[in-house]
């Protein structure tokens, strides 16, 4: 069974709610819609206090190439525009909307009918994806329309669909593949047409046999699309690792997937593309996994963006008494939340509640030079060296150690027998070196 060749770890998958059907979370009385929910230039609000909005009304604008727009996930009145802590606890502007009914823009097709015929041509597809605010829903939130516009010196040969969901606990993509396989594959066909590529491959890890079987059966009626089962190994869902596993191609240091002829999109992104192009539906909601060892009924919720984390937690019975940490995302790459006022965004795939016994940091010991972090790194880096040079503020050495190639997967810290905060220092080093490089290039 295929997988990537360098590094990786095998954390317990802890998929607690694979069989739980998706429930629609009731719309809260007020939503807090983050103004910028994408990688790239920040957006600006185009609404003001007192404005009336419907589901699908455009809330923000951005003229930059690497950008994305946000639409109202609810109908009601704009209460205010103010800062609110995001998942990283940084204050960011948000549009607060008081919910009044549930009125949708008339142009949105909400019928259950599945539309297979793709009538738009490539440029029109790209424009529609941009207008509907579609971004990568695997977590990075890279604007999807930008991926569909490769530079002139690069040509797409493969579309790779990421159905791996290797992050422990998360099951939202799994449920999406079971419940909406046909729409995902239509979305893949739409992306293939926009990219003018003949082949698409769906990668799914072997711990999801029902999804593999269902997607394989459904793909039989979609020319050029195949499904590939992959060996379980984290972080197989990372772009460069998925490309290696599915095509055997390696993305060189400093290069992008398109440089080796590949475009990678999450299965949830493909579903959103289907809704945007075939149903004229902007990205206003997504499936979110709410789970944890002490949660009585782990559930996948279909929820509107801007829903406070507290609403999700109340829907599963509240925060257990022994809770030590609430994480946006999964345990490997997720971000610990400082409070429950943070609101759901396009890139929020899960909310993980960990008990105190699993949440606290263990005692740190000196590095024993075992090399386990080197063996585990899927990018072939030396995490111990990057962490130590960062701690010493020797950022020239940190840069030479190729810190910018780090994908922040956490394999190094997961495998360290001395419990060193490797990932924390690596992230700090990467952020600092990134600033140094940008300042150097601006001269």
């Amino acid at each position: 069974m295929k997988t990537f060749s360098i590094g990786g770890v095998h954390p317990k998958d802890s998929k607690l709610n694979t069989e739980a059907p998706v429930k629609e979370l009731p719309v809260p009385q007020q939503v807090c819609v983050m103004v910028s929910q994408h990688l790239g230039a920040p957006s600006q609000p185009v609404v003001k206090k007192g404005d009336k909005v419907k589901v699908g009304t455009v809330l923000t604008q951005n003229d930059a190439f690497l950008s994305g727009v946000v639409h109202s996930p609810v109908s009601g009145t704009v209460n205010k525009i103010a800062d609110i802590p995001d998942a990283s606890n940084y204050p960011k502007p948000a549009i607060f909307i008081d919910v009044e009914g549930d009125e949708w823009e008339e142009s949105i097709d909400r019928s259950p009918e599945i539309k297979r015929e793709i009538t738009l041509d490539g440029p029109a597809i790209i424009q529609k994806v941009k207008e509907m605010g579609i971004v990568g829903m695997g977590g990075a939130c890279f604007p999807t329309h930008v991926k569909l516009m490769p530079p002139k010196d690069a040509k797409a040969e493969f579309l790779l669909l990421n159905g791996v969901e290797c992050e422990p606990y998360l099951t939202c993509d799994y449920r999406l593949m079971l419940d909406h396989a046909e729409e995902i594959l239509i979305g893949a066909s739409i992306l293939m047409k926009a990219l003018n590529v003949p082949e698409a491959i769906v990668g799914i890890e072997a711990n999801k046999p029902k999804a593999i079987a269902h997607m394989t059966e459904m793909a039989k009626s979609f020319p050029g699309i195949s499904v590939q089962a992959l060996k379980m190994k984290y972080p197989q869902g990372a772009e460069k690792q998925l490309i290696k596993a599915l095509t055997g191609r390696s993305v060189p240091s400093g290069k992008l997937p398109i440089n080796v002829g590949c475009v990678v999109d999450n299965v949830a992104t493909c579903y959103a593309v289907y809704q945007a192009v075939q149903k004229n539906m902007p990205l206003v909601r997504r499936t979110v996994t709410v789970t944890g060892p002490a949660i009585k009924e782990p559930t996948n919720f279909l929820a509107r963006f801007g829903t406070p984390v507290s609403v999700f937690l109340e829907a599963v019975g509240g925060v257990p008494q022994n809770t030590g940490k609430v994480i946006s995302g999964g345990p490997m790459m997720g971000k610990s939340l400082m409070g429950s006022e943070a609101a759901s965004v396009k890139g929020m795939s899960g909310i993980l509640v960990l008990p105190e016994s699993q949440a606290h940091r263990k005692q740190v010991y000196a590095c024993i030079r075992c090399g386990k972090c080197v063996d585990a790194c899927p990018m072939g880096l030396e995490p111990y060296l990057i962490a130590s040079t960062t701690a010493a503020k020797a950022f020239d050495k940190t840069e030479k150690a190729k810190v910018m190639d780090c994908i922040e997967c956490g394999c190094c810290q997961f495998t360290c027998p001395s419990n060193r905060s490797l990932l924390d220092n690596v992230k700090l080093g990467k952020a600092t070196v990134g600033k140094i490089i940008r300042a150097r290039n601006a001269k």
Side-chain angles (χ1 to χ4, degrees), residues 206-274:
N207 63 338
K208 305 171 183 67
K210 287 185 179 179
I212 292 170
H214 185 52
M215 290 288 285
T216 300
E217 182 61 31
M218 292 299 297
K220 290 179 180 178
S221 61
F222 289 86
I225 302 179
S226 61
V227 177
Q228 177 67 58
L230 299 171
K231 182 180 178 181
M232 280 181 62
K233 187 162 68 165
Y234 177 88
Q236 191 132 236
E239 277 192 331
K240 294 181 180 181
Q241 283 63 41
L242 188 63
I243 290 169
K244 183 66 176 179
L246 292 177
T247 70
R249 300 182 180 186
S250 299
V251 181
S253 175
K255 299 296 183 180
L256 299 172
I258 192 62
N259 296 122
V260 293
C262 297
V263 173
V264 182
D265 277 303
N266 186 270
V267 290
T269 308
C270 289
Y271 180 58
V273 167
Y274 162 80

Side-chain angles (χ1 to χ4, degrees), residues 247-372:
T247 70
R249 300 182 180 186
S250 299
V251 181
S253 175
K255 299 296 183 180
L256 299 172
I258 192 62
N259 296 122
V260 293
C262 297
V263 173
V264 182
D265 277 303
N266 186 270
V267 290
T269 308
C270 289
Y271 180 58
V273 167
Y274 162 80
Q275 291 186 307
V277 175
Q278 303 296 82
K279 296 287 189 174
N280 203 45
M281 183 177 292
L283 190 52
V284 294
R285 59 187 180 182
R286 71 162 296 155
T287 305
V288 179
T289 301
V290 184
T291 184
I295 297 294
K296 293 181 180 179
E297 292 187 18
T299 306
N300 289 304
F301 290 108
L302 178 63
R304 309 285 179 92
F305 298 130
T307 301
V309 168
S310 58
V311 174
F312 288 95
L313 296 176
E314 289 168 6
V316 292
V319 180
Q321 192 171 5
N322 66 341
T323 296
K325 186 177 290 185
V326 177
I327 296 171
S328 171
M332 297 297 287
M333 295 188 73
K335 296 178 180 178
S336 180
L337 297 172
M338 298 295 290
S340 59
E341 67 270 25
S344 64
V345 291
K346 295 178 182 180
M348 181 183 281
S349 54
I351 298 169
L352 172 61
V353 181
L354 289 180
E356 178 62 36
S357 60
Q358 297 181 27
H360 72 275
R361 299 230 175 177
K362 298 178 182 178
Q363 183 176 345
V364 178
Y365 298 96
C367 175
I368 60 174
R369 303 293 191 270
C370 65
K372 286 188 176 181

Side-chain angles (χ1 to χ4, degrees), residues 134-139 147 159-165 171-178 180-188 191 201-204 208 211 215 225-227 237 242 264-275 286:
I134 310 303
V135 301
M137 298 180 70
K147 282 190 176 183
L159 171 67
L160 305 182
L161 273 62
N162 184 356
V164 172
E165 199 165 48
T171 57
C172 53
D173 287 349
Y174 171 77
R175 289 307 316 181
L176 200 61
M177 288 187 285
L178 291 184
H180 298 285
E182 186 173 5
E183 295 99 309
I184 290 170
L185 294 171
I186 296 170
L191 293 174
I201 309 172
V202 187
I204 308 174
K208 305 171 183 67
M215 290 288 285
I225 302 179
S226 61
V227 177
L242 188 63
V264 182
D265 277 303
N266 186 270
V267 290
T269 308
C270 289
Y271 180 58
V273 167
Y274 162 80
Q275 291 186 307
R286 71 162 296 155

Side-chain angles (χ1 to χ4, degrees), residues 18 41 46 60 65 67 96 121 126 129-130 138 180 227 239 247 252 273 287 319 322 359 367 397 425 433 439 443:
T18 54
V46 294
T60 71
F65 176 66
S67 64
F96 291 71
D121 61 13
I126 295 171
V129 167
K130 180 179 181 180
H180 298 285
V227 177
E239 277 192 331
T247 70
V273 167
T287 305
V319 180
N322 66 341
C367 175
K397 295 180 180 178
N425 275 314
V433 169
K443 292 180 180 179

Side-chain angles (χ1 to χ4, degrees), residues 109-114 183 274 279:
D109 180 1
R110 299 174 62 199
S111 68
E113 176 194 0
I114 295 177
E183 295 99 309
Y274 162 80
K279 296 287 189 174

